[in-house]
Amino acid sequence: MILLDNKNKYDKQIFSWGEISWLHEPNNSPYTRLSVGQVKIYIGCRQKKHLHLGQEQLFYVAQGQGTFITDGKKENVCKSMLIYCPPYSEHEVYNTGKEELIFIVAYVPIKLLQLEKHYMITMERNLQEMIPVEILQNIKEQLAEILKITVNIYDEKHKILTLDDYINDFCDMCHSVHPCSKIKYDSESDTQLSGKIYRCEYGLAELEVPITLNDNIFGYLKSSNFILIKPKNIEEKIFQMEKTLGIKNNIAINCYEKIPDIIKSRIYVIEEALSTAAQLIQKILERSILEGELLEKDSEILASTKEKIQLKDALKKANIKT
């Protein structure tokens, strides 16, 4: 086995505890589901506890010694060992050796429910007029419970419809200096996420999935902020912000550090969950619209029947046979 060095050609994420080099991503395989990465945990560091969501994971230890804790079960590991982590398990890793702990990990998300293809119907009203906000709020809360991140639902004009309970002090500070400058992430090599992630100059990102019907966008599901890749000069940029705001004691830096780092394989799971929720909202809309059309049709039939009865009564009064 050849271990990758710092000059490898693969996409790399660097964290305070170590780094991940992505060897294979979902868009590189025909089924667009498999991710493979080389994880390196620095000496004396740990990858803190995190939830594996809908991912099945298999680890192969290539170098070093460490401790894996999965759902509270502790296991010491060393070179050539295999470790399995089931979906929806909590997991953390410690490097307990005298060299970097390196392992290869393969991720496969559990396949989520694929909903039926929608009917070709038209919609003249907006999202909040067709679906009660209470239902949208319930969808938001279920997503947050499953994904362990904040999700909000917006209308076609990006007006928030659900209760915004997300607190981000860093963004509040940034907005007081200048408007948000998130730009769309586009990648020819990563078609699954391309156009769905927006990142700002500070490296904060959010995932946005459109709610569509007949190729028209009429709403969005959007995640809370996370950090995918930190800019190299991030400390300097935040220091300039603090200087502009006249604040001290690294308050902005501390707020920035509270924003979660998310490894790339987890983004695919979140994207799939949001896409499935978007399809669910689409089905609720279709049902609402079809029920409305049926009620309208029933009203037309009833009105037409009343008119015929009135005409028949009028003809009878005029002594004309019908």
Side-chain angles (χ1 to χ4, degrees), residues 53-251:
L53 301 174
Q55 305 163 38
E56 208 175 12
Q57 298 187 336
L58 188 66
F59 299 85
Y60 174 79
V61 182
Q63 174 184 298
Q65 295 179 324
T67 300
F68 277 63
I69 301 177
T70 305
D71 287 337
K73 183 180 179 181
K74 183 177 179 181
E75 184 173 6
N76 294 324
V77 300
C78 59
K79 185 177 180 179
S80 300
M81 290 184 68
L82 280 173
I83 304 98
Y84 173 75
C85 285
Y88 306 106
S89 60
E90 283 193 321
H91 173 69
E92 58 185 316
V93 185
Y94 290 80
N95 183 349
T96 59
K98 297 181 179 180
E99 61 181 340
E100 292 176 331
L101 175 61
I102 299 177
F103 49 88
I104 304 299
V105 58
Y107 300 77
V108 179
I110 296 299
K111 190 69 174 176
L112 298 177
L113 176 65
Q114 294 297 311
L115 301 177
E116 298 176 359
K117 187 176 180 180
H118 59 76
Y119 300 102
M120 292 299 295
I121 55 181
T122 59
M123 189 181 76
E124 298 178 353
R125 290 180 286 173
N126 56 33
L127 181 59
Q128 58 269 39
E129 291 177 324
M130 299 299 297
I131 302 178
V133 175
E134 292 79 9
I135 292 178
L136 298 176
Q137 181 69 23
N138 183 264
I139 293 171
K140 162 211 161 82
E141 291 173 358
Q142 290 189 53
L143 283 170
E145 177 64 25
I146 293 170
L147 300 175
K148 304 303 179 185
I149 62 170
T150 300
V151 175
N152 276 310
I153 301 175
Y154 298 75
D155 69 8
E156 74 282 2
K157 296 180 180 179
H158 283 90
K159 178 184 176 182
I160 191 166
L161 301 177
T162 48
L163 179 62
D164 188 8
D165 50 6
Y166 176 58
I167 299 174
N168 186 334
D169 293 330
F170 179 81
C171 283
D172 290 341
M173 294 179 193
C174 185
H175 291 164
S176 66
V177 177
H178 53 70
C180 187
S181 59
K182 285 189 175 72
I183 59 174
K184 186 180 292 186
Y185 164 75
D186 288 306
S187 172
E188 293 182 359
S189 62
D190 192 350
T191 55
Q192 187 171 344
L193 295 179
S194 184
K196 296 178 181 178
I197 291 180
Y198 291 79
R199 292 189 293 193
C200 75
E201 59 182 304
Y202 296 96
L204 271 63
E206 59 188 15
L207 181 64
E208 181 180 274
V209 173
I211 303 168
T212 62
L213 186 63
N214 298 341
D215 298 323
N216 294 315
I217 295 176
F218 57 92
Y220 300 89
L221 287 151
K222 188 184 296 186
S223 74
S224 55
N225 286 304
F226 55 87
I227 298 172
L228 196 59
I229 300 174
K230 288 184 180 179
K232 293 181 180 179
N233 61 339
I234 185 61
E235 289 83 6
E236 181 182 344
K237 291 177 71 69
I238 296 177
F239 173 76
Q240 290 299 324
M241 180 199 294
E242 290 181 331
K243 188 176 179 181
T244 301
L245 292 172
I247 57 178
K248 300 179 181 179
N249 301 322
N250 296 322
I251 294 176

